mmCIF file of all heavy atoms in Angstrom:
data_model
loop_
_atom_site.group_PDB
_atom_site.id
_atom_site.type_symbol
_atom_site.label_atom_id
_atom_site.label_comp_id
_atom_site.label_asym_id
_atom_site.label_seq_id
_atom_site.Cartn_x
_atom_site.Cartn_y
_atom_site.Cartn_z
ATOM 1 N N TRP W 120 4.260 -12.439 4.583
ATOM 2 C CA TRP W 120 3.912 -13.518 3.643
ATOM 3 C C TRP W 120 4.620 -14.697 4.136
ATOM 4 O O TRP W 120 5.783 -14.988 3.862
ATOM 5 C CB TRP W 120 4.356 -13.155 2.202
ATOM 6 C CG TRP W 120 3.767 -14.204 1.228
ATOM 7 C CD1 TRP W 120 2.467 -14.729 1.281
ATOM 8 C CD2 TRP W 120 4.430 -14.788 0.107
ATOM 9 N NE1 TRP W 120 2.350 -15.594 0.208
ATOM 10 C CE2 TRP W 120 3.562 -15.685 -0.512
ATOM 11 C CE3 TRP W 120 5.678 -14.655 -0.459
ATOM 12 C CZ2 TRP W 120 3.749 -16.444 -1.608
ATOM 13 C CZ3 TRP W 120 6.022 -15.411 -1.570
ATOM 14 C CH2 TRP W 120 5.094 -16.255 -2.126
ATOM 15 N N VAL W 168 13.367 -3.381 6.344
ATOM 16 C CA VAL W 168 12.962 -2.033 5.877
ATOM 17 C C VAL W 168 11.613 -1.733 6.352
ATOM 18 O O VAL W 168 10.611 -2.418 5.975
ATOM 19 C CB VAL W 168 13.080 -1.878 4.354
ATOM 20 C CG1 VAL W 168 12.701 -0.422 3.988
ATOM 21 C CG2 VAL W 168 14.474 -2.158 3.890
ATOM 22 N N ALA W 213 -20.974 14.926 -13.735
ATOM 23 C CA ALA W 213 -22.369 14.609 -13.904
ATOM 24 C C ALA W 213 -22.825 13.486 -12.981
ATOM 25 O O ALA W 213 -24.028 13.420 -12.596
ATOM 26 C CB ALA W 213 -22.721 14.348 -15.395
ATOM 27 N N LEU W 236 -18.966 6.472 7.038
ATOM 28 C CA LEU W 236 -20.447 6.553 6.764
ATOM 29 C C LEU W 236 -21.243 7.211 7.917
ATOM 30 O O LEU W 236 -22.067 8.072 7.724
ATOM 31 C CB LEU W 236 -21.011 5.144 6.540
ATOM 32 C CG LEU W 236 -20.542 4.452 5.306
ATOM 33 C CD1 LEU W 236 -21.306 3.109 5.092
ATOM 34 C CD2 LEU W 236 -20.699 5.254 4.013
ATOM 35 N N ALA W 257 -21.884 -4.782 3.379
ATOM 36 C CA ALA W 257 -22.243 -4.175 4.675
ATOM 37 C C ALA W 257 -22.336 -2.624 4.479
ATOM 38 O O ALA W 257 -23.304 -1.979 5.127
ATOM 39 C CB ALA W 257 -21.243 -4.498 5.727
ATOM 40 N N ASP W 279 -7.596 6.403 -14.909
ATOM 41 C CA ASP W 279 -8.085 7.731 -15.394
ATOM 42 C C ASP W 279 -9.247 8.169 -14.682
ATOM 43 O O ASP W 279 -9.429 9.388 -14.335
ATOM 44 C CB ASP W 279 -8.317 7.698 -16.884
ATOM 45 C CG ASP W 279 -9.326 6.684 -17.304
ATOM 46 O OD1 ASP W 279 -9.608 5.675 -16.498
ATOM 47 O OD2 ASP W 279 -9.870 6.747 -18.395
ATOM 48 N N LEU W 297 -7.081 0.531 12.290
ATOM 49 C CA LEU W 297 -6.318 -0.562 12.913
ATOM 50 C C LEU W 297 -4.882 -0.571 12.355
ATOM 51 O O LEU W 297 -4.703 -0.095 11.209
ATOM 52 C CB LEU W 297 -7.004 -1.894 12.696
ATOM 53 C CG LEU W 297 -8.414 -2.100 13.259
ATOM 54 C CD1 LEU W 297 -8.977 -3.471 12.781
ATOM 55 C CD2 LEU W 297 -8.329 -2.088 14.764
#
Side-chain angles (χ1 to χ4, degrees):
W120 191 40
V168 180
L236 294 185
D279 56 343
L297 298 174

